[in-house]
Amino acid sequence: MTRDDVVEVLLGCLSVLAQEEPDRFKLDLSEETILFGYDAGLDSLGLVMLLLSVEEALHARHGVSVPLMDERALSQRHSPFRTVRTLTDYIIANFG
Amino acid sequence: MPIGWLLDRMASWEDVEAVIWRAEPVSYEQLLGRARQWRVRLAEDGVGEGHIVALEGGLSPDICALLIALIQHRAVIVPLGPVSDRNRFDFLQIAQGQHVYAFDAGGAVKVSHRPCSPPTGLLRELIARGEPGLVLFTSGSSGNPKAVVHSLERLLWKFQKPRARLRTAGLFRLDHIAGFDSIFYALSSGGTLIVVENYQPDEMCRAIEHHAANHLTATPTFLRLLLGSGACWRHDLSSLQLVTYGSEVMPEATLHVLRKAMPNARFIQKYGLTELGSPRSRSKDSDSAWIKIVDGDFEARVVNGTLQIRTRSSMLGYLNAPDPFTADGWFDTGDAVETDGEYIRILGRKSEVINVGGEKVYPAEVENVLLEMPNVKDVIVRGEPNQILGNIVSAAVSVLEPETAESLGSRMRKFCKGRLARYKIPVKVEVVTDAQYGDRFKKQRAQKG
């Protein structure tokens, strides 16, 4: 699983979310897209929906089990959920 | 003599059909005759007054007669459902059972005796008062089954007032308060019990049609099976005037379709608990989940959104759990309700509430919506722990035609939009092949942990 694979999965899941709830998510999709936190695109429920679908897609496409909502992910000094880039970095660093 | 009033009344109905079992009707006269034979047999078997007697087997005229004989005998009756051997042993221990009458499918009985010390606690008090008793086990969807002790003198009191004579089709589980209630409702009003022995929807519909039942008693899950299997369209159910259902929340979508299948029937939701019996209730209208308790022997109040009930027919207490009554005798049902004047609507068990980031979600409400979706046969909604939101809503769906979880999830989100608040829409969807029913046809909704 390469970095590009992860970015592709993330952006794919984000665009599905944005299509399903166009009035809620106005996301310009790139690695710099802000996911969560101050001036975030997603609320906490949206974040959970995104993370669940990313977990499922990574498992389905790359056969890897990537728990994104566990103690480790939540206790990082710098939240991995800030942007597409930070989440990708987190996934590659821990499961790549 | 306990239930003297009931025996007198039953005797007056002579050749009225009391029980129809395996297509054979048995009259009240025959039933009472059989009960007299049982009294002789009980004495021969060494079953004394006030003994604790377990019963195994589905309802038949013979078991029905034995029930009557045991009540006359001031026995404490412990009906055992189809439980595992281990549960059976535990239940007998807890209920301090001294004799076991086990009926096989052919109706033959095997009697066994268990060495026991003299009864203790609530059972001793009950027996000392010379009252016949009943021990039922709660289904234990949350934790261990609790053994509920009733005085049959108290529980059957409400049937002294004669009610409408009905021909009632049902499964009549003896180990379930609703079954017990239905049996004595019929016997105390000259009604007829049309016994269906298994959970096959076509069997039930055939029995209704063949024996012209005008009343059906069932669980919402079984009613949904009648629909799902198509059985209710293959038979003439026009004789049905009344359908009573209970023990879980009825999805409103199901109720709408059922009314089409059973056009002459009124639908009434019964509210009953093993600990209390079932009060008489009235539905706001046939399509409504709003009910009003109209039973003079039952008082209801709502405290912090939870229903509390006080009644003289309530249990004496549990054999294996602390006394649950408030100091002034109210029983906390644990059921969350909404109120509208005198009407209440059961939202679900308070213990089943899913807390999603501080918002409350009742599984039944979500299930009701999902059941309206195309290609959904049945669904169980429950909470799953989640590090971010505390809990998330997850749905296990059994489908009619094969479908991937991904496609179902996507359809579900679209379907639920506008029908459910966003936080109530399941974020996790799983397709299951077999619906997870409990042995009482109640949903098994234990939280994943």
Side-chain angles (χ1 to χ4, degrees), chain B residues 120-369:
Chain B
T120 55
L122 285 174
L123 289 170
R124 190 181 60 193
E125 290 169 31
L126 178 72
I127 294 161
R129 286 206 303 269
E131 292 176 19
L134 176 69
V135 177
L136 294 175
F137 290 85
T138 61
S139 58
S141 52
S142 47
N144 287 326
K146 292 186 205 132
V148 170
V149 182
H150 280 283
S151 154
L152 280 172
E153 204 94 62
R154 277 164 71 160
L155 190 67
L156 299 180
W157 179 262
K158 64 181 168 197
F159 296 116
Q160 292 220 24
K161 192 167 176 198
R163 303 281 175 198
R165 179 181 285 188
L166 297 169
R167 293 174 66 81
T168 303
L171 295 158
F172 308 115
R173 292 275 301 262
L174 288 176
D175 59 324
H176 198 301
I177 190 79
F180 215 85
D181 241 35
S182 304
I183 291 167
F184 282 93
Y185 178 99
L187 295 181
S188 64
S189 54
T192 304
L193 295 162
I194 301 164
V195 183
V196 176
E197 289 177 86
N198 59 39
Y199 289 118
Q200 292 303 314
D202 276 285
E203 288 283 301
M204 178 68 87
C205 293
R206 204 172 302 133
I208 292 167
E209 182 175 3
H210 190 71
H211 300 292
N214 55 13
H215 174 209
L216 166 64
T217 163
T219 61
T221 303
F222 187 73
L223 289 174
R224 204 155 52 244
L225 257 183
L226 290 189
L227 289 179
S229 64
C232 58
W233 311 106
R234 286 193 285 275
H235 302 267
D236 178 7
L237 304 181
S238 59
S239 60
L240 284 177
Q241 292 168 1
L242 179 65
V243 177
T244 50
Y245 58 91
S247 72
E248 25 169 315
V249 179
M250 171 75 105
E252 288 178 33
T254 311
L255 206 45
H256 282 294
V257 190
L258 279 170
R259 272 174 66 71
K260 289 187 188 132
M262 302 166 191
N264 300 325
R266 272 188 310 137
F267 287 79
I268 295 185
Q269 178 174 18
K270 297 285 290 177
Y271 177 77
L273 285 176
T274 308
E275 289 89 342
L276 304 173
S278 327
R280 286 159 31 80
S281 60
R282 190 171 294 155
S283 295
K284 213 174 201 175
D285 57 59
S286 233
D287 267 355
S288 160
W290 291 90
I291 59 167
K292 182 164 93 174
I293 290 173
V294 292
D295 195 316
D297 290 331
F298 283 75
E299 296 170 90
R301 70 180 185 192
V302 178
V303 177
N304 296 328
T306 311
L307 182 64
Q308 294 193 352
I309 285 182
R310 187 161 65 177
T311 170
R312 61 183 294 175
S313 71
S314 74
M315 66 165 182
L316 305 177
Y318 297 121
L319 288 178
N320 55 350
D323 180 24
F325 292 101
T326 64
D328 48 351
W330 291 85
F331 180 79
D332 183 344
T333 65
D335 281 319
V337 293
E338 254 178 355
T339 52
D340 177 9
E342 288 182 293
Y343 285 89
I344 55 170
R345 189 161 77 110
I346 313 288
L347 297 169
R349 306 288 301 162
K350 207 143 206 181
S351 58
E352 283 178 354
V353 171
I354 307 167
N355 190 323
V356 180
E359 304 277 7
K360 280 181 190 166
V361 181
Y362 289 98
E365 183 191 1
V366 181
E367 285 168 358
N368 278 351
V369 171

Side-chain angles (χ1 to χ4, degrees), chain A residues 42-62:
Chain A
L42 298 167
D43 63 355
S44 56
L45 188 60
L47 178 68
V48 169
M49 288 162 74
L50 173 70
L51 296 177
L52 277 170
S53 64
V54 170
E55 285 178 355
E56 274 165 29
L58 287 174
H59 187 258
R61 278 185 230 167
H62 302 286

